[in-house]
Amino acid sequence: MNYFPDEVIEHVFHFVESNKDRNSISLVCKLWYRIERFSRLRVFVGNCYAISPERVFARFPFMKSLFLKGKPHFADFNLVPDDWGGFLYPWIEYMARNKVNLEELRLKRMIVTDDSLELIAASFANFKSLVLVSCEGFTTDGLAAIAANCRFLRELDLQENEIEDHRGQWINCFPECHTSLVALNFACLRGDINLAALERLVARSPNLKSLRLNQAVPLETFHRILVRAPQLVELGVGSFVNDPESEINDKLTSALQKCQSMRSLSGFFEVTLSCMSAIYPVCENLISLNLSYAPEIPGNELIKIIQHCRKLQKLWVLDCIGDKGLKVVADSCKELQELRVFPFDPHGVRNGAVTEEGLVAVASGCLKLNSLLYFCQQMTNEALITVARKCPNFIRFRLCILNPTKPDAATMQPLDEGFGAIVQSCKGLRRLSMSGLLTDRVFHYIGSFAENLEMLSVAFAGDSDAGMLYVLNGCKKLSKLEIRDSPFGNVALLMDVRKYETMRSLWMSSCEVTMGGCRTLAKMMPRLNVEVINDSGDLDKHGDDNQVVNKLFVYRTLVGPRKDAPDFVWTL
Amino acid sequence: MESTGCYDKDLNLEATELRLGLPGTDQTEPTTNKRSIHQTKEEDQEGGSKVASSKAQIVGWPPVRSFRKNSVQPKKNKAGTEAEASGIYVKVSMDGAPYLRKINLNSYNGYDQLLVAVQSMFRITIGRHSEREGYGGSEHAPTYEDKDGDWMLVGDVPWEMFTRTCKRLRIMKGSEARGLGCGV
């Protein structure tokens, strides 16, 4: 490679798509660093406060696609106050001012405003793709600006955002001529939508492959859309409610049968059960099915649907599927790779409808399973050990027992051995979330065996600092560690402070770290932002070292303390 | 792991409360978190309702995204959106009765069971529904107010659609009822 001209090296780099690989390439020598940075088109910033827009674009001047993440993961569960941070505007403002040729923007857990969306629409002539996941702070007016001005828009994908719905005519704002839309997902919008405008939009979007409707779209409209767009590959149904005697049902069945390319189905926010059989023919070719927002489909109907889904690779359901339903999944879905079972009734009297039996059944039947999110009533070590043996290919294993400190349901022992078996057997495990009664022993297992672990989520676990230390010492590839309600304190926090510069972030809430520990950490490691989040107002900023810090967020950064922190967030 | 020992058996909510801060600053044991965890475990062995009450006090648990929690939960308050536990309570009035009653539509599988219950509650006979004649021959006609505010005859639409759209029930009596019985 030393004797090749730069253009040839650049051409070779062009085929390297993974940013992880590109980061490694950049470290080889100065020449490769230089060539790589000019050829990187897609930039990923895992923590928007680790770097500034200026430095990103200084290094990657030809960037066209940006993926930014804001708030820490526990913000999903209301542990991070709303105005903690993660503002998009400064990034857009910089890019607009410096004429960056932005084409794609993907955001997760950021505060997006209508101003930001309007600025995007006004500044980037080639803007093609906007994907927002778990964001908030904007309204349908911002969407209208994007629709109206981004002439080459291919993708508008809104996943689980909190959007203030002004019930305006944003869907009307797309250009009147043919659009280039390939993917449109507005399932998370809660308000009404102009149905006629929606149908017209579908009619003039010949490239549309993915369409996810919100609850306000009724069956009649859905049927007309299907007739217009039989080429759809991904479909999110809105409301599937109809009078079963109506003639629409036959029409719907035949329209669905014409959708030969359909591979992914979701939605079904409301259903008329007797109409569900219309979807069975489509099920045979499905590779992805998300019924986790369909509370009206009971277990026995879910079973009927799943029996048809022989090619399914990804399944998201509510726990009303029951252990019984999971056994049907195990028998029918031999290609299954990802399973997520969500609690239908998280705070209800019923403690969750699936148990270790369902999990063992799926692990026994679906040998390609590699990604799991499972909310259940109870678990046993024996079940976890069986799962570990049958499915050594897990990359993501997230188990949530609804009662967070529940022991093994059969033996009343902690679940250390079960999770220990998982980390020992699944050598490729990158992400792990645990729950149940857990002692320091499980952390010893994790530190000893989880060589590829990148993200660990801990809640109500462990006995002492030793637990956290096992993980920090053992998991060489650890990038994100988030801990809540566990007895880890300053000793664990301060034992190996340099470790945190090798990680993206550390979150600790309701643990035993104190102001003294945090101050020491901040002093020893200037390239970390040590943020104490005092939203409860209990702490005194200049007070005693012994004050216990309720919420701590530590992350590496190249740009020092952030300037947009609210007054209850202290960067020490 | 320490044995469960003899912990306080009565429902000592304060001790078991899993708050954001250290539970119980007046406790002398250093591992105060551990104590509350063991007490929770003790509770769990005693019974479901106690678990539910301590569960409800934990912020951010179970770890379900707020968006999802807000989407699947509030639907329970809308009439007839899920087939499980919580009820769809509607008022039932009968012309001439001194006070109204309330029934849970979810506790019935269909119209037959509903009408049996209503007939028994008000000590009346309604008879069978027919498409052409409604409740022809009866003194009483069961009607309901739907989402649009219209008064409809009970029994015309599928049961699920009924439970979804019914806001209240009214048993009409006398001449009004007979008028409805002619299936207009």
Side-chain angles (χ1 to χ4, degrees):
Chain A
M1 286 292 269
N2 285 336
Y3 306 111
F4 290 164
D6 291 357
E7 301 81 51
V8 174
I9 300 181
E10 185 179 336
H11 185 70
V12 173
F13 287 179
H14 172 71
F15 294 100
V16 180
E17 297 200 341
S18 141
N19 275 351
K20 253 192 184 149
D21 292 340
R22 279 180 165 268
N23 289 344
S24 304
I25 285 176
S26 309
L27 293 175
V28 168
C29 62
K30 282 198 173 140
L31 176 68
W32 282 28
Y33 176 89
R34 187 166 54 79
I35 295 176
E36 193 283 317
R37 63 181 265 252
F38 286 118
S39 70
R40 192 179 302 204
L41 303 177
R42 287 192 170 75
V43 176
F44 169 67
V45 178
N47 174 0
C48 63
Y49 291 120
I51 193 76
S52 66
E54 291 82 0
R55 290 185 61 162
V56 172
F57 307 117
R59 181 169 169 194
F60 302 115
F62 298 111
M63 186 213 74
K64 289 206 284 202
S65 163
L66 179 63
F67 181 179
L68 264 180
K69 287 184 167 183
K71 298 187 199 178
H73 175 232
F74 277 178
D76 281 351
F77 320 130
N78 294 334
L79 290 180
V80 178
D82 283 341
D83 35 358
W84 170 86
F87 304 106
L88 175 65
Y89 193 81
W91 290 78
I92 305 297
E93 195 268 334
Y94 180 91
M95 288 192 276
R97 203 166 12 99
N98 291 279
K99 312 231 185 306
V100 172
N101 181 19
L102 190 68
E103 292 186 11
E104 297 173 2
L105 184 63
R106 186 183 177 103
L107 303 173
K108 190 165 186 183
R109 275 184 227 108
M110 295 210 54
I111 298 190
V112 175
T113 56
D114 285 347
D115 285 346
S116 308
L117 294 175
E118 283 158 19
L119 191 53
I120 291 171
S123 315
F124 308 118
N126 292 322
F127 196 71
K128 293 191 172 68
S129 165
L130 183 64
V131 180
L132 303 179
V133 181
S134 285
C135 297
E136 57 183 343
F138 60 107
T139 77
T140 46
D141 296 345
L143 298 178
I146 297 283
N149 297 303
C150 301
R151 302 254 125 196
F152 302 112
L153 193 69
R154 288 210 284 250
E155 181 174 23
L156 179 60
D157 186 356
L158 307 168
Q159 297 176 30
E160 297 186 331
N161 303 288
E162 291 289 352
I163 306 174
E164 199 180 297
D165 198 330
H166 289 168
R167 294 176 176 75
Q169 300 289 330
W170 72 273
I171 200 95
N172 253 337
C173 296
F174 285 95
E176 277 305 319
C177 55
H178 281 287
T179 77
S180 17
L181 273 180
V182 175
L184 177 62
N185 173 4
F186 59 92
C188 64
L189 282 178
R190 295 203 165 98
D192 289 332
I193 195 127
N194 182 327
L195 300 175
L198 174 62
E199 286 180 50
R200 286 197 302 271
L201 177 64
V202 172
R204 64 181 192 280
S205 302
N207 299 324
L208 198 64
K209 293 277 189 302
S210 172
L211 179 63
R212 306 224 191 245
L213 309 170
N214 75 345
Q215 191 176 341
V217 180
L219 197 83
E220 298 77 26
T221 308
F222 168 63
H223 168 251
R224 283 198 286 274
I225 286 175
L226 276 184
V227 171
R228 290 242 198 231
Q231 79 280 7
L232 284 174
V233 175
E234 298 179 343
L235 180 61
V237 177
S239 168
F240 202 72
V241 166
N242 198 35
D243 176 359
E245 306 297 310
S246 152
E247 58 180 20
I248 275 266
N249 295 311
D250 294 328
K251 288 192 196 171
L252 185 64
T253 307
S254 71
L256 278 167
Q257 275 167 344
K258 293 200 177 73
C259 296
Q260 290 295 313
S261 312
M262 190 82 70
R263 295 289 176 272
S264 167
L265 211 53
S266 63
F268 295 95
F269 305 107
E270 292 178 316
V271 300
T272 298
L273 288 178
S274 40
C275 297
M276 285 305 287
S277 52
I279 73 165
Y280 297 161
V282 168
C283 290
E284 285 161 18
N285 289 322
L286 284 184
I287 56 175
S288 166
L289 180 62
N290 179 357
L291 295 177
S292 64
Y293 282 99
E296 293 183 9
I297 305 182
N300 48 18
E301 179 59 42
L302 284 173
I303 287 174
K304 285 191 213 162
I305 296 170
I306 282 166
Q307 278 168 335
H308 289 94
C309 300
R310 306 249 145 209
K311 297 190 184 156
L312 209 59
Q313 293 176 15
K314 176 171 142 179
L315 175 64
W316 292 22
V317 277
L318 292 170
D319 64 1
C320 45
I321 193 173
D323 286 334
K324 186 170 154 210
L326 289 176
K327 289 177 183 140
V328 176
V329 172
D331 288 335
S332 312
C333 308
K334 296 300 186 189
E335 302 297 313
L336 196 68
Q337 295 177 25
E338 177 176 333
L339 174 67
R340 295 197 187 188
V341 180
F342 293 96
F344 171 78
D345 193 9
H347 295 299
V349 175
R350 214 166 35 87
N351 279 337
V354 295
T355 69
E356 75 277 9
E357 280 185 32
L359 181 60
V360 169
V362 176
S364 306
C366 305
L367 300 177
K368 298 186 181 178
L369 197 62
N370 61 39
S371 176
L372 179 77
L373 173 59
Y374 196 72
F375 286 85
C376 57
Q377 189 197 129
Q378 64 185 44
M379 188 47 57
T380 64
N381 283 310
E382 188 185 343
L384 287 173
I385 291 168
T386 305
V387 168
R389 189 168 34 87
K390 303 226 172 188
C391 284
N393 298 320
F394 274 113
I395 301 174
R396 270 170 242 111
F397 191 88
R398 298 159 68 187
L399 189 80
C400 176
I401 303 173
L402 291 170
N403 181 340
T405 55
K406 196 164 179 176
D408 180 318
T411 66
M412 305 315 288
Q413 292 300 303
L415 288 170
D416 300 335
E417 300 306 314
F419 282 104
I422 295 283
V423 294
Q424 231 175 306
S425 165
C426 304
K427 307 222 185 300
L429 193 68
R430 298 208 297 253
R431 183 169 178 184
L432 177 66
S433 302
M434 313 186 289
S435 57
L437 185 64
L438 295 163
T439 72
D440 283 347
R441 202 176 161 81
V442 73
F443 297 106
H444 188 54
Y445 285 131
I446 293 173
S448 305
F449 297 109
E451 289 166 352
N452 288 308
L453 195 66
E454 294 172 11
M455 181 170 176
L456 178 65
S457 307
V458 175
F460 304 99
D463 308 309
S464 71
D465 287 320
M468 184 167 162
L469 285 171
Y470 286 131
V471 172
L472 290 175
N473 290 336
C475 299
K476 299 297 173 206
K477 294 201 181 167
L478 194 64
S479 174
K480 286 187 283 187
L481 179 59
E482 46 184 28
I483 303 171
R484 63 166 292 180
D485 294 89
S486 301
F488 307 136
N490 295 338
V491 168
L493 181 69
L494 296 174
M495 185 67 72
D496 180 8
V497 294
R498 276 203 270 279
K499 173 79 177 173
Y500 306 125
E501 266 192 15
T502 70
M503 292 167 54
R504 187 186 299 170
S505 65
L506 167 71
W507 170 278
M508 292 179 79
S509 60
S510 304
C511 297
E512 294 174 8
V513 294
T514 68
M515 280 296 278
C518 297
R519 285 170 179 148
T520 306
L521 177 61
K523 196 164 171 195
M524 290 172 75
M525 301 294 293
R527 286 199 299 201
L528 297 178
N529 277 353
V530 177
E531 289 190 7
V532 168
I533 300 170
N534 184 33
D535 53 331
S536 56
D538 289 340
L539 294 172
D540 174 2
K541 191 171 183 181
H542 306 289
D544 209 37
D545 272 352
N546 288 335
Q547 301 176 85
V548 172
V549 168
N550 195 12
K551 292 180 184 170
L552 172 68
F553 187 49
V554 178
Y555 55 92
R556 67 181 174 194
T557 177
L558 294 174
V559 291
R562 58 188 174 106
K563 298 181 183 59
D564 62 2
D567 50 15
F568 56 83
V569 174
W570 308 329
T571 307
L572 298 180
Chain B
M1 206 190 93
E2 65 179 90
S3 68
T4 51
C6 47
Y7 289 86
D8 220 27
K9 284 277 185 196
D10 49 89
L11 191 56
N12 188 352
L13 281 180
E14 207 184 13
T16 60
E17 181 186 326
L18 293 163
R19 291 172 277 155
L20 288 184
L22 281 180
T25 47
D26 51 305
Q27 288 186 0
T28 50
E29 274 215 28
T31 52
T32 47
N33 267 352
K34 195 169 142 195
R35 164 151 298 181
S36 65
I37 287 168
H38 281 239
Q39 283 188 314
T40 308
K41 178 189 137 188
E42 176 79 4
E43 268 194 353
D44 182 47
Q45 290 168 324
E46 285 175 10
S49 60
K50 287 184 184 173
V51 172
S53 74
S54 63
K55 244 191 346 189
Q57 292 169 22
I58 308 174
V59 172
W61 194 269
V64 173
R65 246 182 214 171
S66 337
F67 179 87
R68 182 179 287 279
K69 266 190 189 157
N70 296 337
S71 300
V72 180
Q73 280 272 59
K75 278 160 152 262
K76 280 183 169 183
N77 297 327
K78 272 167 56 178
T81 49
E82 33 68 55
E84 309 281 333
S86 76
I88 309 160
Y89 285 90
V90 297
K91 291 183 192 171
V92 188
S93 63
M94 184 166 85
D95 297 350
Y99 50 79
L100 280 62
R101 301 298 301 270
K102 241 189 177 162
I103 56 172
N104 177 3
L105 292 181
N106 258 347
S107 51
Y108 311 112
N109 283 343
Y111 288 117
D112 288 341
Q113 282 189 7
L114 170 68
L115 291 176
V116 161
V118 165
Q119 288 173 107
S120 152
M121 196 180 262
F122 291 99
R123 306 197 207 303
I124 52 171
T125 313
I126 299 178
R128 295 207 142 272
H129 173 261
S130 90
E131 238 183 66
R132 282 186 61 225
E133 292 182 9
Y135 295 88
S138 166
E139 276 284 309
H140 300 93
T143 65
Y144 70 99
E145 185 183 5
D146 76 357
K147 291 206 281 215
D148 302 324
D150 298 320
W151 286 94
M152 319 285 294
L153 188 69
V154 167
D156 287 337
V157 302
W159 174 252
E160 287 143 12
M161 191 180 284
F162 167 71
T163 57
R164 205 201 321 278
T165 55
C166 169
K167 280 172 43 187
R168 52 186 301 169
L169 281 161
R170 178 185 161 203
I171 316 292
M172 287 188 186
K173 222 168 124 175
S175 55
E176 262 194 284
R178 278 189 282 276
L180 275 174
C182 296
V184 164

